[in-house]
Every structure is written in C-alpha cells, then in structure tokens.
Amino acid sequence: TLLLSNSAYYSDICVGSIACRLEKKEGGAIRVYIMTLGVLAPYRGLGIGTRLLNHVLDLCLKQNIQEIYLHVQTNNDDAINFYKKFGFEITETIKNYYTNIDPPDCFVLTKLITTFQANK
C-alpha cells in the first residue's frame, strides 16, 4: 500500500495535514482513499484545507487516477459541505462504521476526476 501525506505550516507550526492511501480496485484501476484531512481550528477558513485537497486532486489528475473517496461522520455538516464544494457526492451510507463516537454512522463521499473538473 502506498501512502501520500502532506502538511501545511504557518510560522513553523504544523497547522494542517492530509494523508491518503492508494488502493487497487478490481480490474487493476487505482483509486485514492483520504484517511485524514485536518486543519487546526484557529487556522480554518484560511484556505489551508483547500490547498491540501487541491494538491491531492492535482496529483490524481497527473497520475490519471480517476476516483477519490473518504468516510465522513453523518453529522459532520462542515466536512460534508467542504467536500461537496469540490464535487464529492454521497455515494453510500454505512451504519455503525465508527465504534467509539456517536453517531456511529458514516457517509462515503466519492469524486470521479476528469481532466476538465479536477479542481472544481
């Protein structure tokens, strides 16, 4: 499994990061799973998460990877709205995905990447 991670710094302080893994689908196609994307609360709204996500989307485009997805807790409206701005769509609901948080359910958000909409 190949991992990709990137961090964002502000005045020598790590204020955000993204970690992804490459997965091979049936038939051999590669897709990207976003394991984590986070920005420290005081630094949210400054475009840091956008830059981190755009970096991964650009890499996907350059490597001809056409699918990227992640899990989001069903009550995390901020995250859901953030990803929807980039063209992610809710493609699945998984009941009892999380074991130690409430609600335990998650949405799977997926984006299919094409040459024309990588950064939208």
Side-chain angles (χ1 to χ4, degrees):
T1 303
L2 294 174
L3 297 177
L4 164 72
S5 67
N6 201 356
S7 299
Y9 289 86
Y10 184 86
S11 297
D12 295 329
I13 300 168
C14 182
V15 297
S17 66
I18 188 167
C20 306
R21 110 180 138 226
L22 298 177
E23 299 178 343
K24 188 175 283 193
K25 294 173 60 175
E26 259 184 58
I30 302 292
R31 67 179 178 175
V32 171
Y33 174 64
I34 299 176
M35 299 183 300
T36 60
L37 169 58
V39 176
L40 294 177
Y43 299 92
R44 292 180 188 153
L46 302 175
I48 295 167
T50 294
R51 290 184 69 180
L52 289 167
L53 183 56
N54 273 333
H55 177 70
V56 170
L57 293 174
D58 287 342
L59 289 175
C60 289
L61 186 61
K62 289 174 185 170
Q63 297 297 318
N64 200 30
I65 295 170
Q66 298 179 348
E67 183 180 348
I68 185 167
Y69 78 106
L70 64 139
H71 296 90
V72 175
Q73 193 177 13
T74 54
N75 68 342
N76 191 342
D77 292 334
D78 288 343
I80 293 165
N81 291 330
F82 173 78
Y83 288 107
K84 281 186 172 182
K85 286 191 303 186
F86 291 88
F88 284 79
E89 297 178 357
I90 296 172
T91 53
E92 186 180 355
T93 301
I94 302 174
K95 298 287 185 187
N96 299 310
Y97 179 78
Y98 301 107
T99 56
N100 296 320
I101 56 176
D102 190 52
D105 307 330
C106 80
F107 293 129
V108 176
L109 277 75
T110 304
K111 177 179 175 67
L112 300 178
I113 301 169
T114 68
T115 304
F116 302 108
Q117 62 181 17
N119 292 321
K120 295 185 180 176

